[in-house]
Amino acid sequence: MFIGLTASAGFMVCISLERYLVIAKPLWYRFRRNIKTYVVVCVVVWTLSLPVLLTLLLANDPWMFLTILAYMLPLPFPFFIFCLVGTIKALSGALSVPAEEKRRIVAIQVVVLLIYSLIFLPIIIYILSEEFKLIPYLLLFVCLYLSPLADTTLYLLTRKSFLDKFLASLCSCKASDNQEMSSKDTESTTAPHTETV
């Protein structure tokens, strides 16, 4: 469970870095982007997650392992903030990027920061409080089990085609609702006129 949590944090760092590089270093990113690079990054993230398992296995006291984990989890926060600020600065100078695409890129960076904050901050706070209380303990497990759902949501938000289809379906539902309302309004306004004529 904790290996997956660490890998999740690593992949969030990768997503944030990728969004930053797409905007801040587009030429460098374009020439380095290929399947081999993605496979290597995935292998590196999972490999870097293995020391968490080794620490858990070698720790005599499980609380010591959790304390080490609590001090490791906040490390990506400055990186997320750097990527968000760097992306915003780079986007403000980018004239060729449409405004809608700018909003989408910044939204992904903000969502990464929010998901990381909402999933990992309760875990960190619970572990560092060193008190066992039932509600924070349950919150810890809720956060642990929501982490894969958050990763899936983040993946779907980064896919432009999925996001476009989702927004289009919402817009078409709204449009059909508006058409139904306007047809009802038309019927109600024409009905009294037909009776009087």
Side-chain angles (χ1 to χ4, degrees):
M1 177 173 7
F2 290 108
I3 295 173
L5 192 69
T6 309
S8 173
F11 285 119
M12 285 185 186
V13 167
C14 292
I15 290 170
S16 188
L17 180 63
E18 181 195 26
R19 295 288 102 192
Y20 170 72
L21 290 175
V22 164
I23 298 303
K25 309 284 184 197
L27 290 176
W28 183 88
Y29 176 76
R30 187 171 295 157
F31 291 117
R32 300 289 192 277
R33 188 179 82 177
N34 58 32
I35 297 297
K36 183 180 176 183
T37 305
Y38 289 127
V39 170
V40 169
V41 167
C42 287
V43 168
V44 167
V45 167
W46 281 106
T47 304
L48 290 175
S49 299
L50 287 178
V52 172
L53 176 65
L54 293 175
T55 307
L56 178 61
L57 293 174
L58 296 175
N60 295 333
D61 181 20
W63 199 255
M64 181 181 81
F65 163 74
L66 290 175
T67 305
I68 292 170
L69 188 66
Y71 284 111
M72 285 175 35
L73 286 177
L75 293 177
F77 272 112
F79 184 77
F80 289 138
I81 293 170
F82 167 78
C83 287
L84 177 63
V85 171
T87 302
I88 291 171
K89 281 184 180 179
L91 280 174
S92 65
L95 301 174
S96 63
V97 180
E100 184 177 313
E101 187 69 17
K102 287 180 181 181
R103 282 191 296 271
R104 191 173 87 75
I105 291 169
V106 171
I108 290 170
Q109 292 284 46
V110 169
V111 166
V112 167
L113 185 62
L114 281 174
I115 287 175
Y116 194 81
S117 300
L118 293 175
I119 296 292
F120 291 96
L121 275 181
I123 295 170
I124 295 166
I125 291 168
Y126 173 74
I127 293 171
L128 293 179
S129 71
E130 296 183 5
E131 292 181 15
F132 179 79
K133 292 183 181 175
L134 183 61
I135 293 179
Y137 181 73
L138 293 175
L139 183 63
L140 169 80
F141 278 99
V142 167
C143 291
L144 287 174
Y145 289 119
L146 283 180
S147 179
L149 180 63
D151 293 342
T152 306
T153 304
L154 186 60
Y155 171 76
L156 291 175
L157 286 175
T158 59
R159 308 302 325 153
K160 186 176 182 180
S161 60
F162 174 80
L163 193 59
D164 290 342
K165 287 178 184 176
F166 179 70
L167 292 175
S169 69
L170 286 179
C171 291
S172 68
C173 289
K174 249 183 158 176
S176 66
D177 287 345
N178 289 340
Q179 288 174 351
E180 288 177 15
M181 291 298 241
S182 65
S183 66
K184 287 180 182 178
D185 290 342
T186 306
E187 289 172 3
S188 66
T189 57
T190 56
H193 294 296
T194 56
E195 290 177 14
T196 57
V197 173

